[in-house]
């Protein structure tokens, strides 16, 4: 934590924390003056919010669909298949994606053979990079969220469904009027707690997939800090950007915790 002093200094490694010039809030002002820094903040918000929204909706839908499957063997097999990618590192997944989504990769071969289109550089085109990031993150992690919602569905009192069936409710009506309302507290908890990570768009993923061609839409706060501080030697500025992100994230976590407590009666202590 002592190193945070660099955010208020024109830090020079050979001068150290005590010898570097004190410049106050200048580094923080530069965050909003540098086009690259403001673009990184915008990219972070767009990618993180997209991940949160998609990462909530898809697991809910998949959990409901899978809960309707009566064959235990099929249900367990699907659960295992969609959950396995969660355990893969982003280095491994990135290597797979670079091969699959490359100009001569499998996806382009399929698109070219079926539709006769020109190859698409998914990881080198700014217009497709964000969607590629969100979809790949969903593929890797939605299995974990699905398991959480499946556990919530399993805990619903069966008498609710029996009463709905007696009243003549169809399976679709039972899902709408029983399953979803019973899942709502868990959905609220997960959604509100995800607010704390709204400035965390996934350094591991983007660092392993991005390149200078997609900085305009794919550069996020964490990768910008990495380049500014470690590669360009702007240690004070990089620390200021990181501290700015941490303070905003802390505020959002506190707000999210209070919302979770008020809306779903969720509390840690």
């Amino acid at each position: 934590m002592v190193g945070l002093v660099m955010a208020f200094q024109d830090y020079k490694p050979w001068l150290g924390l005590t010898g570097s010039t004190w410049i106050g809030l200048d580094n923080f002002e530069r965050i909003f003056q540098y086009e690259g820094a403001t673009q990184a903040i915008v990219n972070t918000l767009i990618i993180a919010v997209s991940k949160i929204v998609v990462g909530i909706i898809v697991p809910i839908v998949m959990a409901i669909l899978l809960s309707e499957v009566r064959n235990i063997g099929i249900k367990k097999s699907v659960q295992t298949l969609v959950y396995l990618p969660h355990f893969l590192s982003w280095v491994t997944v990135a290597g797979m994606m670079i091969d699959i989504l490359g100009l001569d990769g499998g996806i382009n071969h399929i698109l070219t053979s079926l539709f006769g289109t020109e190859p698409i550089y998914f990881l080198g085109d700014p217009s497709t990079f964000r969607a590629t990031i969100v979809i790949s993150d969903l593929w890797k992690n939605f299995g974990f969220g699905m398991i959480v919602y499946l556990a919530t569905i399993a805990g619903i009192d069966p008498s609710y469904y029996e009463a709905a069936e007696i009243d003549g409710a169809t399976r679709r009506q039972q899902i709408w009027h029983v399953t979803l309302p019973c899942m709502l507290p868990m959905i609220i908890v997960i959604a509100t707690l995800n607010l704390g990570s709204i400035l965390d768009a996934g350094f591991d993923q983007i660092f392993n997939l991005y390149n200078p061609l997609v900085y305009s839409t794919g550069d996020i706060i964490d990768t910008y800090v990495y380049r500014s501080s470690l590669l360009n030697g702007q240690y004070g500025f990089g620390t200021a950007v990181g501290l700015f992100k941490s303070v905003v994230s802390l505020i959002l976590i506190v707000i999210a915790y209070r919302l979770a407590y008020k809306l779903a009666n969720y509390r840690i202590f």
Side-chain angles (χ1 to χ4, degrees):
M1 297 299 291
V2 176
L4 293 177
V5 174
M6 289 189 294
F8 306 94
Q9 295 178 327
D10 181 14
Y11 180 76
K12 305 297 183 184
W14 55 89
L15 297 177
L17 294 176
T18 57
S20 297
T21 305
W22 187 270
I23 59 174
L25 299 177
D26 287 359
N27 284 326
F28 293 93
E29 293 176 359
R30 289 163 59 197
I31 294 175
F32 302 99
Q33 294 173 351
Y34 284 5
E35 182 180 353
T38 53
Q39 185 62 53
I41 294 173
V42 172
N43 293 339
T44 301
L45 290 173
I46 293 174
I47 293 173
V49 170
S50 300
K51 284 183 177 181
I52 290 173
V53 173
V54 175
I56 290 175
I57 294 175
V58 174
I60 292 172
V61 174
M62 287 297 298
I64 292 174
L65 292 176
L66 197 59
S67 68
E68 295 297 311
V69 176
R70 296 292 174 251
N71 188 304
I72 300 299
I74 295 176
K75 181 181 291 188
K76 295 296 182 182
S77 299
V78 173
Q79 281 184 243
T80 302
L81 288 174
V82 300
Y83 192 41
L84 280 177
H86 180 72
F87 297 98
L88 299 176
S89 69
W90 272 115
V91 175
T92 304
V93 174
M96 295 166 55
M97 291 187 61
I98 290 171
D99 289 337
I100 294 172
L101 299 177
L103 291 174
D104 56 350
I107 299 297
N108 274 313
H109 277 304
I110 294 173
L111 293 176
T112 302
S113 60
L114 290 180
F115 304 105
T117 59
E118 292 293 326
I120 303 171
Y121 192 11
F122 291 97
L123 298 176
D125 186 347
S127 63
T128 60
F129 186 76
R130 286 176 182 163
T132 304
I133 289 294
V134 173
I135 293 172
S136 61
D137 180 79
L138 175 66
W139 171 78
K140 184 178 184 298
N141 294 316
F142 88 91
F144 177 79
M146 187 188 72
I147 296 296
V148 173
Y149 291 121
L150 277 174
T152 303
I153 294 173
I156 298 175
D157 190 341
S159 63
Y160 294 159
Y161 293 103
E162 293 171 2
E165 192 171 354
I166 291 173
D167 289 338
T170 62
R171 290 304 301 173
R172 182 178 299 177
Q173 291 172 327
Q174 291 177 36
I175 291 172
W176 186 256
H177 295 288
V178 178
T179 305
L180 283 175
C182 290
M183 293 174 65
L184 189 59
M186 180 57 69
I187 295 172
I188 291 174
V189 169
I190 293 177
T192 52
L193 293 182
N194 278 339
L195 287 176
S197 60
I198 202 167
L199 290 183
D200 185 10
F203 173 79
D204 291 346
Q205 177 191 15
I206 293 180
F207 180 75
N208 284 287
L209 290 174
Y210 86 150
N211 57 75
L213 295 175
V214 294
Y215 280 173
S216 60
T217 58
D219 195 21
I220 60 172
I221 293 175
D222 291 333
T223 53
Y224 184 79
V225 169
Y226 167 77
R227 292 201 317 278
S228 297
S229 57
L230 297 182
L231 299 186
N232 298 335
Q234 301 179 25
Y235 301 103
F237 177 67
T239 305
V241 177
L243 181 57
F244 167 77
K245 173 191 169 184
S246 298
V247 171
V248 174
S249 297
L250 176 61
I251 294 171
L252 290 174
I253 288 172
V254 173
I255 294 173
Y257 179 74
R258 295 300 300 172
L259 287 173
Y261 175 66
K262 287 185 176 296
L263 297 176
N265 199 29
Y266 172 83
R267 62 190 306 169
I268 300 174
F269 49 81

